[in-house]
């Protein structure tokens, strides 16, 4: 069974940094694109970033480009998001999600981890 | 990248059919058959309902169907049930090699 478990939840001041992790199990992690999607309290889903199976291609939403870095360790079956220069508007629940093989959907999601940005 | 446009809310009675629209541009919805739909219950992670415009993952009820015409994609739920009450989101690939979600639609089953 596919499982995605995010960690790294925390409270950080504006301008600070935080690293999120997403531990994957139940599938061949090195075969799938992986994504981060966030949801601010009471708001809708927003796509943040994606990474290809071998980590050589990364893409970002304009709102986080230059501040966030997505990466993966296929040996550890883990996805990461390094978040720097955090802003108030980055406060959200961050979900990691698996890209469906050969299709456009995100077929499995983690339970989410909360990032709070506040002074 | 601007969010895709969805109605904020829709409603229907049990047994009825409803359709949720998702409008973008030729640079996203209209340009690619990479539209997917998600259902989200409050406090839970989203669930994939439809991928590649009209395909259902295994285990998703055939009451859910997707389509696209021009720059607008649609999700139709037939035989509405109380358990369908949730938030629904569309997403599309874009010409910038990114993805964009719709603003979300709250479905109320009357």
């Amino acid at each position: 069974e596919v499982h995605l478990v995010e960690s790294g939840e925390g409270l950080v001041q504006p301008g600070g940094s935080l690293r999120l992790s997403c531990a994957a199990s139940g599938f061949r992690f090195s075969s799938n694109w992986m994504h981060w999607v966030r949801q601010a309290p009471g708001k809708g889903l927003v796509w943040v970033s994606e990474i290809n199976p071998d980590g050589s291609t990364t893409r970002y939403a304009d709102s986080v480009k230059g501040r966030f870095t997505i990466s993966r360790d296929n040996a550890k079956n883990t996805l990461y998001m390094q978040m720097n220069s955090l802003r108030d508007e980055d406060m959200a629940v961050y979900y990691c999600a698996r890209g469906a093989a050969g299709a456009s959907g995100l077929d499995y999601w983690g339970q989410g981890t909360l990032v709070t940005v506040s002074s | 990248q601007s969010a895709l446009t969805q109605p904020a809310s829709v409603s229907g009675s049990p047994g009825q059919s409803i359709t949720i629209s998702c409008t973008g541009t030729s640079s996203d919805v209209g340009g690619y058959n990479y539209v997917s739909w998600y259902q989200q219950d409050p406090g839970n992670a989203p669930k994939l309902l439809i991928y590649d415009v009209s395909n259902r993952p295994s285990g998703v009820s055939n009451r859910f169907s997707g389509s696209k015409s021009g720059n607008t994609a649609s999700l139709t739920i037939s035989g509405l049930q109380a358990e369908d009450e949730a938030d629904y989101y569309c997403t599309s690939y874009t010409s910038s090699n990114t993805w964009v979600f719709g603003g979300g639609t709250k479905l109320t089953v009357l």
Side-chain angles (χ1 to χ4, degrees), chain A residues 5 8-10 13 23 30 44 53 65 69 73 79 81 93 97 99:
Chain A
V5 180
E9 174 171 317
Q13 292 185 338
S30 59
K65 197 175 297 182
T69 302
D73 185 334
L79 175 72
M81 177 63 82
V93 172

Side-chain angles (χ1 to χ4, degrees), chain A residues 35 37 39 43-47 50 59-62 65 95 100 102-112, chain B residues 1 33-36 38 40 43-48 50-53 89 91 93 97-103:
Chain A
H35 298 244
V37 176
Q39 186 170 36
K43 303 297 185 181
L45 300 173
V46 176
W47 179 81
E50 68 175 351
R59 296 166 180 159
Y60 300 91
D62 287 344
K65 197 175 297 182
Y95 295 100
S104 65
L106 303 179
D107 58 357
Y108 286 92
W109 295 63
Q111 83 288 350
Chain B
Q1 183 70 45
N33 288 324
Y34 296 150
V35 174
S36 49
Y38 302 85
Q40 186 181 35
N44 290 336
K47 172 189 174 183
L48 178 64
I50 298 288
Y51 66 92
D52 295 349
V53 175
Y89 295 89
T91 188
Y93 189 66
N97 296 324
T98 59
W99 300 84
V100 61
F101 277 91

Side-chain angles (χ1 to χ4, degrees), chain B residues 1-4 22-35 68-73 92-98 100:
Chain B
Q1 183 70 45
S2 299
L4 306 176
C22 170
T23 301
T25 69
S26 58
S27 295
D28 39 64
V29 174
Y32 306 92
N33 288 324
Y34 296 150
V35 174
K68 190 184 83 167
S69 178
N71 296 336
T72 298
S92 173
Y93 189 66
T94 82
S95 59
S96 301
N97 296 324
T98 59
V100 61

Side-chain angles (χ1 to χ4, degrees), chain B:
Chain B
Q1 183 70 45
S2 299
L4 306 176
T5 301
Q6 297 181 232
S9 63
V10 299
S11 63
S13 299
Q16 288 185 331
S17 293
I18 64 94
T19 296
I20 299 171
S21 61
C22 170
T23 301
T25 69
S26 58
S27 295
D28 39 64
V29 174
Y32 306 92
N33 288 324
Y34 296 150
V35 174
S36 49
W37 289 90
Y38 302 85
Q39 177 190 60
Q40 186 181 35
D41 293 318
N44 290 336
K47 172 189 174 183
L48 178 64
L49 293 177
I50 298 288
Y51 66 92
D52 295 349
V53 175
S54 60
N55 295 286
R56 271 189 316 275
S58 60
V60 172
S61 171
N62 59 9
R63 297 187 300 106
F64 296 92
S65 62
S67 63
K68 190 184 83 167
S69 178
N71 296 336
T72 298
S74 299
L75 172 72
T76 298
I77 308 174
S78 59
L80 207 57
Q81 299 177 1
E83 67 200 49
D84 298 331
E85 188 162 290
D87 295 324
Y88 292 83
Y89 295 89
C90 63
T91 188
S92 173
Y93 189 66
T94 82
S95 59
S96 301
N97 296 324
T98 59
W99 300 84
V100 61
F101 277 91
T105 298
K106 181 176 179 60
L107 170 62
T108 300
V109 180
L110 303 171

Side-chain angles (χ1 to χ4, degrees), chain A residues 38-94:
Chain A
R38 70 185 182 185
Q39 186 170 36
K43 303 297 185 181
L45 300 173
V46 176
W47 179 81
V48 175
S49 181
E50 68 175 351
I51 186 168
N52 73 332
D54 68 7
S56 60
T57 298
T58 58
R59 296 166 180 159
Y60 300 91
D62 287 344
S63 58
V64 307
K65 197 175 297 182
R67 300 187 299 121
F68 289 14
T69 302
I70 190 172
S71 62
R72 64 193 297 162
D73 185 334
N74 287 342
K76 294 183 177 180
N77 292 337
T78 302
L79 175 72
Y80 302 100
M81 177 63 82
Q82 177 66 43
M83 303 185 295
N84 298 330
S85 303
L86 282 161
R87 304 168 179 168
D88 290 350
E89 56 264 34
D90 295 320
M91 185 164 74
V93 172
Y94 284 74

